[in-house]
Amino acid sequence: MNQVAIVTDSTAYLPPEIIEKYQIQVIPLSVIWDGESYQDGLDITTPQFYTRLENSPSLPSTSQPPAGEFKDCFSALLENGNDVVAILISAGISGTVNSALQAQAELDPSRIEIVDSLTAAMATGLHVIAAARKAAQGGTLQEVVQTARQAQQQTAVVFVVDTLEFLHRGGRIGGAKRLLGSMLKIKPILEMRAGKIAAVDQERTQKRALERMLELIKEKACDEKPVRMAVIHSNAPELAHKLKAEVLESFSPEELYVAELSPVIGTHVGPGTLAIACMHGM
């Protein structure tokens, strides 16, 4: 039986110690800005990105990895005797899954599985960690895939953006489009639903929006233990750590990560975004 290797993309925001522990392969997406291409988290740091975003008259765009990068990664893992499970950002907001599928088709599809996480950021990361644990326990290719698909059904992510402007410009606004008319007067509360961004609620102040976000996560987290969670932010570390304390008090999670949105996701949500991801029963 082959060992199962785990592949993900740079938007999963896995802690470096997790990547090292489970030998997870991370394929970077890219930010395109004023004609220059930057690999996510490698060629431009998060602080550099948000500083430039606040001062630049132009906005960046983003690009999925080319199929060739996945093919090179998959080929090396197969040659080393591994089967491969790639767990990636939702196809509803990125072409990354499609690139991976192209690479899979050119190699040995029987030994490579592509899993659309139907979500993004550290919510995808929670799926990746669950699958990596299963692989480390000696799980087969199909057992690891089953774990990743189970994680899809047991994960919720709710987030508050400071403004809908960035999602609107990037074309990722999805079901939140109905909030556009009042976007300057509200703090939109959004979620990932069936792989796309959907509106949940709206509040007048950030304080109330964050309170509502916690209420929504409590409704979605159910009572099935263990609960594993992440607080995610874009250039809002103080608010993120305050939110972390509230999550610890409210949920007592088995694991709790704090992750900052890197340039690729930051391009679409803008600074000041806060999110909570929760995976229960795994």
Side-chain angles (χ1 to χ4, degrees):
M1 185 178 68
N2 294 335
Q3 176 71 31
V4 178
I6 306 297
V7 177
T8 191
D9 63 77
S10 61
T11 69
Y13 307 129
L14 294 170
E17 61 271 18
I18 293 290
I19 294 172
E20 182 177 356
K21 179 178 180 178
Y22 295 110
Q23 295 297 294
I24 297 166
Q25 304 299 304
V26 180
I27 306 294
L29 279 74
S30 297
V31 173
I32 315 298
W33 210 340
D34 294 335
E36 295 289 330
S37 179
Y38 305 90
Q39 286 193 313
D40 190 33
L42 297 175
D43 300 328
I44 183 169
T45 67
T46 301
Q48 287 171 341
F49 170 77
Y50 286 112
T51 298
R52 183 171 171 182
L53 190 65
E54 289 175 4
N55 297 289
S56 175
S58 62
L59 285 176
S61 61
T62 59
S63 176
Q64 72 263 25
E69 287 195 27
F70 280 109
K71 185 177 180 181
D72 290 346
C73 176
F74 294 166
S75 294
L77 292 170
L78 294 175
E79 288 173 8
N80 285 334
N82 299 288
D83 291 336
V84 178
V85 176
I87 303 165
L88 306 169
I89 184 174
S90 172
I93 57 174
S94 172
T96 301
V97 165
N98 188 53
S99 290
L101 287 170
Q102 290 177 45
Q104 178 198 42
E106 295 180 21
L107 296 169
D108 184 351
S110 69
R111 293 178 58 199
I112 304 168
E113 291 279 357
I114 311 300
V115 180
D116 180 347
S117 72
L118 300 178
T119 190
M122 194 61 202
T124 300
L126 293 174
H127 298 187
V128 173
I129 294 169
R133 284 198 181 102
K134 188 67 175 179
Q137 292 164 2
T140 65
L141 180 65
Q142 290 309 315
E143 286 171 341
V144 174
V145 170
Q146 183 180 3
T147 296
R149 297 202 187 285
Q150 182 184 352
Q152 288 176 350
Q153 307 304 313
Q154 295 177 206
T155 299
V157 57
V158 179
F159 59 107
V160 175
V161 294
D162 198 43
T163 171
L164 287 170
E165 175 188 0
F166 293 93
L167 282 168
H168 180 47
R169 290 191 185 186
R172 264 71 170 185
I173 201 161
K177 189 175 292 185
R178 64 178 175 83
L179 301 179
L180 276 175
S182 56
M183 71 178 187
L184 297 178
K185 304 173 187 175
I186 63 167
K187 298 300 178 189
I189 304 169
L190 311 169
E191 69 177 355
M192 292 298 298
R193 186 185 301 159
K196 295 187 177 181
I197 296 168
V200 183
D201 209 340
Q202 58 192 44
E203 296 289 347
R204 294 288 180 183
T205 67
Q206 184 184 66
K207 181 177 184 294
R208 179 58 194 143
L210 296 182
E211 290 171 351
R212 181 66 180 132
M213 182 168 63
L214 277 166
E215 291 170 2
L216 289 164
I217 282 291
K218 284 179 183 178
E219 293 171 10
K220 295 172 181 294
C222 307
D223 296 321
E224 192 177 0
K225 302 292 183 179
V227 176
R228 305 179 193 276
M229 303 182 73
V231 171
I232 309 155
H233 71 98
S234 58
N235 205 32
E238 291 182 6
L239 284 171
H241 284 283
K242 181 180 178 182
L243 191 57
K244 175 187 176 183
E246 293 175 357
V247 167
L248 280 170
E249 183 178 350
S250 298
F251 296 93
S252 301
E254 186 83 7
E255 292 177 290
L256 177 58
Y257 301 95
V258 176
E260 185 168 20
L261 294 172
S262 73
V264 161
I265 300 292
T267 291
H268 297 293
V269 298
T273 296
L274 286 155
I276 302 174
C278 175
M279 183 176 71
H280 61 89
M282 298 189 68

